[in-house]
mmCIF file of all heavy atoms in Angstrom:
data_model
loop_
_atom_site.group_PDB
_atom_site.id
_atom_site.type_symbol
_atom_site.label_atom_id
_atom_site.label_comp_id
_atom_site.label_asym_id
_atom_site.label_seq_id
_atom_site.Cartn_x
_atom_site.Cartn_y
_atom_site.Cartn_z
ATOM 1 N N ASP A 264 62.868 145.771 -24.595
ATOM 2 C CA ASP A 264 62.956 144.307 -24.576
ATOM 3 C C ASP A 264 62.060 143.698 -25.648
ATOM 4 O O ASP A 264 62.455 142.754 -26.349
ATOM 5 C CB ASP A 264 62.567 143.767 -23.202
ATOM 6 C CG ASP A 264 63.595 144.102 -22.126
ATOM 7 O OD1 ASP A 264 64.757 144.388 -22.493
ATOM 8 O OD2 ASP A 264 63.238 144.066 -20.934
ATOM 9 N N LEU A 265 60.847 144.230 -25.770
ATOM 10 C CA LEU A 265 59.913 143.711 -26.771
ATOM 11 C C LEU A 265 60.442 143.915 -28.186
ATOM 12 O O LEU A 265 60.370 143.001 -29.028
ATOM 13 C CB LEU A 265 58.559 144.402 -26.636
ATOM 14 C CG LEU A 265 57.517 143.730 -25.748
ATOM 15 C CD1 LEU A 265 56.299 144.624 -25.582
ATOM 16 C CD2 LEU A 265 57.098 142.382 -26.328
ATOM 17 N N LYS A 266 60.970 145.079 -28.475
ATOM 18 C CA LYS A 266 61.483 145.348 -29.820
ATOM 19 C C LYS A 266 62.679 144.458 -30.140
ATOM 20 O O LYS A 266 62.842 144.013 -31.283
ATOM 21 C CB LYS A 266 61.856 146.826 -29.944
ATOM 22 C CG LYS A 266 60.634 147.737 -30.014
ATOM 23 C CD LYS A 266 61.011 149.190 -30.222
ATOM 24 C CE LYS A 266 59.757 150.044 -30.409
ATOM 25 N NZ LYS A 266 60.060 151.479 -30.574
ATOM 26 N N ARG A 267 63.506 144.188 -29.122
ATOM 27 C CA ARG A 267 64.636 143.275 -29.327
ATOM 28 C C ARG A 267 64.128 141.873 -29.672
ATOM 29 O O ARG A 267 64.621 141.234 -30.620
ATOM 30 C CB ARG A 267 65.499 143.225 -28.055
ATOM 31 C CG ARG A 267 66.642 142.189 -28.114
ATOM 32 C CD ARG A 267 67.481 142.238 -26.844
ATOM 33 N NE ARG A 267 66.670 142.120 -25.653
ATOM 34 C CZ ARG A 267 66.215 140.946 -25.176
ATOM 35 N NH1 ARG A 267 66.472 139.827 -25.827
ATOM 36 N NH2 ARG A 267 65.500 140.917 -24.067
ATOM 37 N N LEU A 268 63.135 141.386 -28.943
ATOM 38 C CA LEU A 268 62.574 140.055 -29.228
ATOM 39 C C LEU A 268 61.890 140.023 -30.592
ATOM 40 O O LEU A 268 61.969 139.027 -31.319
ATOM 41 C CB LEU A 268 61.577 139.672 -28.132
ATOM 42 C CG LEU A 268 62.163 139.425 -26.737
ATOM 43 C CD1 LEU A 268 61.048 139.232 -25.713
ATOM 44 C CD2 LEU A 268 63.083 138.204 -26.742
ATOM 45 N N GLN A 269 61.221 141.109 -30.939
ATOM 46 C CA GLN A 269 60.548 141.158 -32.239
ATOM 47 C C GLN A 269 61.549 141.156 -33.394
ATOM 48 O O GLN A 269 61.287 140.551 -34.438
ATOM 49 C CB GLN A 269 59.644 142.389 -32.306
ATOM 50 C CG GLN A 269 58.409 142.275 -31.434
ATOM 51 C CD GLN A 269 57.646 143.578 -31.304
ATOM 52 O OE1 GLN A 269 58.220 144.666 -31.439
ATOM 53 N NE2 GLN A 269 56.357 143.487 -31.029
ATOM 54 N N ARG A 270 62.703 141.811 -33.202
ATOM 55 C CA ARG A 270 63.746 141.760 -34.245
ATOM 56 C C ARG A 270 64.264 140.334 -34.407
ATOM 57 O O ARG A 270 64.488 139.868 -35.534
ATOM 58 C CB ARG A 270 64.895 142.711 -33.883
ATOM 59 C CG ARG A 270 64.564 144.186 -34.091
ATOM 60 C CD ARG A 270 65.823 145.042 -34.046
ATOM 61 N NE ARG A 270 66.464 145.010 -32.735
ATOM 62 C CZ ARG A 270 66.192 145.857 -31.744
ATOM 63 N NH1 ARG A 270 65.270 146.792 -31.911
ATOM 64 N NH2 ARG A 270 66.835 145.773 -30.591
ATOM 65 N N GLN A 271 64.436 139.638 -33.291
ATOM 66 C CA GLN A 271 64.859 138.236 -33.363
ATOM 67 C C GLN A 271 63.809 137.395 -34.092
ATOM 68 O O GLN A 271 64.150 136.511 -34.890
ATOM 69 C CB GLN A 271 65.085 137.692 -31.955
ATOM 70 C CG GLN A 271 66.249 138.317 -31.208
ATOM 71 C CD GLN A 271 66.372 137.786 -29.780
ATOM 72 O OE1 GLN A 271 65.873 136.710 -29.464
ATOM 73 N NE2 GLN A 271 67.030 138.557 -28.921
ATOM 74 N N LEU A 272 62.546 137.685 -33.820
ATOM 75 C CA LEU A 272 61.474 136.945 -34.481
ATOM 76 C C LEU A 272 61.484 137.183 -35.986
ATOM 77 O O LEU A 272 61.320 136.237 -36.777
ATOM 78 C CB LEU A 272 60.124 137.356 -33.885
ATOM 79 C CG LEU A 272 58.881 136.664 -34.463
ATOM 80 C CD1 LEU A 272 58.940 135.161 -34.230
ATOM 81 C CD2 LEU A 272 57.604 137.240 -33.844
ATOM 82 N N MET A 273 61.665 138.420 -36.401
ATOM 83 C CA MET A 273 61.693 138.725 -37.834
ATOM 84 C C MET A 273 62.854 138.014 -38.522
ATOM 85 O O MET A 273 62.726 137.543 -39.659
ATOM 86 C CB MET A 273 61.807 140.237 -38.048
ATOM 87 C CG MET A 273 60.582 141.029 -37.579
ATOM 88 S SD MET A 273 59.025 140.420 -38.267
ATOM 89 C CE MET A 273 59.278 140.756 -39.997
ATOM 90 N N THR A 274 63.984 137.890 -37.829
ATOM 91 C CA THR A 274 65.129 137.166 -38.388
ATOM 92 C C THR A 274 64.771 135.696 -38.604
ATOM 93 O O THR A 274 65.090 135.104 -39.642
ATOM 94 C CB THR A 274 66.344 137.273 -37.450
ATOM 95 O OG1 THR A 274 66.692 138.653 -37.300
ATOM 96 C CG2 THR A 274 67.535 136.523 -38.019
ATOM 97 N N LEU A 275 64.088 135.113 -37.626
ATOM 98 C CA LEU A 275 63.685 133.710 -37.744
ATOM 99 C C LEU A 275 62.682 133.518 -38.877
ATOM 100 O O LEU A 275 62.719 132.505 -39.589
ATOM 101 C CB LEU A 275 63.067 133.229 -36.430
ATOM 102 C CG LEU A 275 64.030 132.924 -35.280
ATOM 103 C CD1 LEU A 275 63.253 132.603 -34.012
ATOM 104 C CD2 LEU A 275 64.933 131.745 -35.636
#
Side-chain angles (χ1 to χ4, degrees):
D264 291 339
L265 268 173
K266 287 183 175 178
R267 174 178 53 81
L268 293 173
Q269 288 170 334
R270 285 194 296 270
Q271 293 177 21
L272 180 62
M273 294 307 295
T274 300
L275 284 174

